[in-house]
């Protein structure tokens, strides 16, 4: 692979072992902010969550387990796309992948954290000084945890993964206890039969919830033994993720009456109801779980900042995005501090913009901002997945410690299945209601999103067009600054 980035690699330290990779995957993939959003789909949300786990999550994990073990270079997907298709597609794809995370951090994550803190820990108000202060603190603490050295930062994400799983286990167990004592009222009206309308509504957010197992490979050269550890860690992370989505969603639907599940408050509103089983201790227990919930959201954001900032830094260091200086890794910390800070600035600006959208309606902002994050991330996989296929075909000589079952046929089958899901999810996220209209399914756009179609499409399509322009311009500027590459025969 010509012209490999050289500036950051001297400062990398091998600090990730198998458990760390698994914990980072759990911290990144299990998205607290999507649990309530998924549950709004009703009983069929459980059906589709299970179905997509089998027909998307499994083949997706298999693809990235093989590729991640075979190509463990720092930068992960950036390196894979560059090796398959060249620097420009890699730079633009990485930009889409990376910018998802500051948008998500400054959008749905920080809004859900503030809503939870306001409702269960300490009153903040909406649009108040306390509200802004909390959101700014949340964003910049997440960024600072990505700035510290990975051998220290990994323990923050590991703690977040542990807290996240613990909170979900406590909630699910308590919901079962509540249901035994009070009845599973939510199941009385829940229909688990899958529908086309439910599928189209849920597929983008479910795909967003399940993707991310390639993320630890962004720190591939900071792993002790990626060729052995990546496949095992991804397999374990996938199993934990599937359980941590399916069980809480089912628990929410079992105890929360139909029509009362909300995307922004689904998990905590369910907790408020079921924690009544603890009697006089329910208040402190609920507050404790709310703090755990916010901490898990914080570390979820920082886990993605750790990995996606490394990808974007490697693109810059490789001469693919404006200036190589953006990709410089701090000599002592071994982290891309400049890219980390840039992420913090973008997240902050996006938070301010989101707070003005839809007249400050938190629920509408949550849904639209989450969709923007879904869109940019899913669009990046439209290039990443074909890159995996290209690497499989063109570089069959590369040692592959783990292989997808049934060889090349199995790999291609998994890739085709994953790509089909991504195509449907991307289109549904960019143009919600379009497929429904084609299929004769009613779709109340303003009733669902809280904003007009014009506002929605302006926000999502405007973001996509802006990223394409920025990525192309960044590559053009970097190309002029790069030293001429030697001619090859």
């Amino acid at each position: 692979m010509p012209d490999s980035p050289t500036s950051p690699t001297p400062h990398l330290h091998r600090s990730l072992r198998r458990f760390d990779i698994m914990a980072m995957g759990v911290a990144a993939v299990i998205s607290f902010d999507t649990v309530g959003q998924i549950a709004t789909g009703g009983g069929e949300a459980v059906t589709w969550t299970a179905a997509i786990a089998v027909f998307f999550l499994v083949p997706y994990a298999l693809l990235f387990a093989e590729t991640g073990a075979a190509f463990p270079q720092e930068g992960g997907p950036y390196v894979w796309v560059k090796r398959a298709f060249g620097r420009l597609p890699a730079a633009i794809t990485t930009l889409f992948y990376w910018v998802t995370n500051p948008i998500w951090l400054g959008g749905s994550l920080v809004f859900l954290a503030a809503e939870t803190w306001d409702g269960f820990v300490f009153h903040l108000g909406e649009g108040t000084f306390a509200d802004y202060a909390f959101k700014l603190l949340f964003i910049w603490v997440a960024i600072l945890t990505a700035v510290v050295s990975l051998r220290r930062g990994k323990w923050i994400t590991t703690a977040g993964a542990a807290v996240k799983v613990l909170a979900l286990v406590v909630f699910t167990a308590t919901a079962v206890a509540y249901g035994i004592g009070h009845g599973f009222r939510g199941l009385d009206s829940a229909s688990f039969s899958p529908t086309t309308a439910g599928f189209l509504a849920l597929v983008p957010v479910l795909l967003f919830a399940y993707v991310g197992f390639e993320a630890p490979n962004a720190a591939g050269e900071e792993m002790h033994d990626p060729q052995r550890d990546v496949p095992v860690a991804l397999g374990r992370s996938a199993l934990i993720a599937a359980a941590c989505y399916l069980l809480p969603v089912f628990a929410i639907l079992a105890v929360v009456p139909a029509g009362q599940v909300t995307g922004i408050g689904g998990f905590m509103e369910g907790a408020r109801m079921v924690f009544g089983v603890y009697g006089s201790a329910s208040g402190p227990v609920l507050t404790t779980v709310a703090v755990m919930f916010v901490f898990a959201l914080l570390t979820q954001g920082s886990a993605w900042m750790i990995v996606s900032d490394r990808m974007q830094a490697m693109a810059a260091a490789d001469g693919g995005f404006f200036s190589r200086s953006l990709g410089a890794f701090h000599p002592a910390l071994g982290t891309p501090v400049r890219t980390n800070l840039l992420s913090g600035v973008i997240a902050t600006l996006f938070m301010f913009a989101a707070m003005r959208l839809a007249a400050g309606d938190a629920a509408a902002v949550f849904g639209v901002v989450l969709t923007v994050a879904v869109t940019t991330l899913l669009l990046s996989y439209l290039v990443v997945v074909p890159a995996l296929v290209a690497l499989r075909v063109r570089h069959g000589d590369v040692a592959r410690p783990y292989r997808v079952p049934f060889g090349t046929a199995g790999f291609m089958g998994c890739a085709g299945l994953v790509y089909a899901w991504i195509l449907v999810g991307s289109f549904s996220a960019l143009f919600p209601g379009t497929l429904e209209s084609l299929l004769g399914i009613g779709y109340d756009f303003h009733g669902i999103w809280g904003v007009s179609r014009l506002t929605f499409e302006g926000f999502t399509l405007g973001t996509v067009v802006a990223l394409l322009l920025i990525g192309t311009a960044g590559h053009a500027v970097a190309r002029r600054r790069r030293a001429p590459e030697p001619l090859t025969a």
Side-chain angles (χ1 to χ4, degrees), residues 57-73 76 80 83 213-214 217 223 226-235 385 387-415:
L57 177 61
V58 171
Y60 167 84
L62 292 174
L63 285 178
F64 285 98
E66 176 174 321
T67 306
F71 300 93
Q73 293 83 6
W80 304 339
R83 191 161 186 172
F213 290 109
E214 75 288 340
N217 266 101
M223 299 176 182
Q227 294 189 322
R228 289 189 175 185
D229 292 343
V230 166
V232 176
L234 292 193
V385 174
L388 306 189
V389 173
L391 292 177
R392 189 67 155 74
V393 172
R394 300 176 192 168
H395 300 279
D397 58 320
V398 174
R400 295 174 182 267
Y402 170 79
R403 289 179 177 267
V404 173
F406 307 110
T408 301
F411 191 98
M412 297 305 175
C414 288

Side-chain angles (χ1 to χ4, degrees), residues 1-6 75-96 311-324 383-384 387 394 468 470-486:
M1 183 175 63
D3 197 25
S4 297
T6 57
Y78 170 75
V79 176
W80 304 339
V81 177
K82 181 191 171 185
R83 191 161 186 172
F85 303 131
R87 186 182 279 112
L88 177 59
I92 293 177
T93 301
T94 300
L95 178 63
F96 272 76
M311 281 179 56
Q312 185 61 26
M314 294 302 288
D318 190 41
F321 188 72
F322 288 110
S323 171
R324 290 183 188 270
V383 181
V384 173
R394 300 176 192 168
L468 287 172
I470 292 170
T472 304
H475 180 267
V477 171
R479 184 177 183 180
R480 286 197 297 269
R481 292 180 175 182
R482 289 199 305 267
E485 296 182 9

Side-chain angles (χ1 to χ4, degrees), residues 1-93:
M1 183 175 63
D3 197 25
S4 297
T6 57
S7 57
T9 50
H11 309 309
L12 300 179
H13 307 283
R14 296 193 181 275
S15 56
L16 295 179
R17 299 186 183 277
R18 182 175 298 179
F19 176 80
D20 304 317
I21 299 169
M22 182 191 70
M24 185 174 288
V26 170
V29 173
I30 301 175
S31 304
F32 256 158
D33 58 319
T34 60
V35 171
Q37 196 81 355
I38 294 169
T40 60
E44 65 178 302
V46 175
T47 305
W48 286 120
T49 300
I52 294 179
V54 174
F55 296 108
F56 172 77
L57 177 61
V58 171
Y60 167 84
L62 292 174
L63 285 178
F64 285 98
E66 176 174 321
T67 306
F71 300 93
Q73 293 83 6
E74 190 81 3
Y78 170 75
V79 176
W80 304 339
V81 177
K82 181 191 171 185
R83 191 161 186 172
F85 303 131
R87 186 182 279 112
L88 177 59
I92 293 177
T93 301

Side-chain angles (χ1 to χ4, degrees), residues 86-146:
R87 186 182 279 112
L88 177 59
I92 293 177
T93 301
T94 300
L95 178 63
F96 272 76
Y97 190 103
W98 164 67
V99 83
T100 290
N101 297 291
I103 288 175
W104 183 43
L105 175 64
S108 58
L109 278 187
V110 75
F111 274 82
L112 182 54
E115 189 85 357
T116 301
W117 199 269
D118 178 72
F120 299 91
V121 182
F122 182 81
H123 180 65
L124 299 173
E126 186 176 330
T128 63
F129 174 80
D131 187 27
Y132 276 95
F134 177 90
K135 288 171 180 171
L136 287 171
L137 183 64
F138 182 92
I139 289 170
W140 284 99
V141 169
I143 295 298
L144 289 176
T145 59

Side-chain angles (χ1 to χ4, degrees), residues 419-441:
Y419 202 75
W421 282 108
I422 297 294
L423 278 174
V424 174
S426 300
F427 189 87
S428 298
L430 270 177
F431 307 104
T434 303
L435 292 177
E436 286 86 346
S437 297
L438 292 174
L439 296 171
I441 300 171

Side-chain angles (χ1 to χ4, degrees), residues 294-376:
V294 172
F295 176 72
L297 291 175
L298 177 69
T299 55
Q300 185 175 319
S302 64
W304 276 100
M305 289 296 101
I306 288 171
V307 294
S308 66
D309 284 355
R310 277 169 166 75
M311 281 179 56
Q312 185 61 26
M314 294 302 288
D318 190 41
F321 188 72
F322 288 110
S323 171
R324 290 183 188 270
S325 63
L326 285 173
F329 279 54
H330 192 278
L333 299 175
T335 54
V337 175
R338 291 172 182 170
T339 304
N340 294 146
L341 297 178
L342 179 60
S343 290
V345 171
I346 293 173
T348 301
L349 292 175
F350 204 84
M351 182 270 289
F352 281 114
M355 289 191 72
R356 297 189 61 83
L357 182 70
D361 187 296
V365 170
F366 176 83
V368 174
V369 170
L370 180 58
T371 299
V372 172
V374 168
T375 302
T376 54

